[in-house]
């Protein structure tokens, strides 16, 4: 199943999108936030009680591989681990480069 992705500008919009996903029946463990800056990603995930893309989604080898990738390559790898195509990951990574945030709901 294809994940649902919203591109937003700030934390207020992140919360609004999470509420929309909640109304659609997504559980917090199915909703991910991703920003270009790792600290921003962590802070947003923590304050909204959503997920960061990690070992569970990427697998051990993917997570280890990210230690040696540029941030852009790491972000695209994380997005692909949620089911986005390579082309979609490239497009969304450009959004992250511009300071935007992705909120992704991954169907079970």
């Amino acid at each position: 199943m294809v994940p649902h992705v919203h591109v937003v500008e700030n934390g207020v919009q992140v919360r609004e999108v999470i509420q929309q996903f909640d109304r659609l029946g997504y559980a917090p463990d199915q909703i991910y936030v991703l920003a270009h800056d790792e600290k921003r990603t962590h802070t947003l995930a923590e304050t909204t009680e959503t997920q960061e893309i990690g070992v569970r989604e990427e697998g051990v080898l993917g997570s280890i591989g990210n230690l040696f990738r540029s941030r852009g390559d790491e972000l695209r790898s994380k997005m692909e681990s949620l089911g986005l195509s390579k082309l979609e990951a490239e497009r969304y990574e450009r959004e992250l480069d511009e300071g935007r945030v992705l909120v992704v709901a991954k169907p079970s």
Side-chain angles (χ1 to χ4, degrees), residues 50-61:
T50 55
Q51 303 299 307
E52 294 180 65
I53 303 166
V55 175
R56 185 178 85 187
E57 296 76 27
E58 295 181 281
V60 173
L61 293 178

Side-chain angles (χ1 to χ4, degrees), residues 18-58:
I18 290 168
Q19 289 172 349
Q20 291 173 14
F21 285 147
D22 182 59
R23 285 190 294 275
L24 292 172
Y26 287 97
D29 66 346
Q30 294 175 286
I31 303 171
Y32 299 83
V33 293
L34 186 63
H36 199 280
D37 179 70
E38 287 181 70
K39 185 173 180 170
R40 186 175 185 201
T41 298
H42 178 74
T43 300
L44 285 168
E46 190 173 78
T47 60
T48 60
E49 299 179 355
T50 55
Q51 303 299 307
E52 294 180 65
I53 303 166
V55 175
R56 185 178 85 187
E57 296 76 27
E58 295 181 281

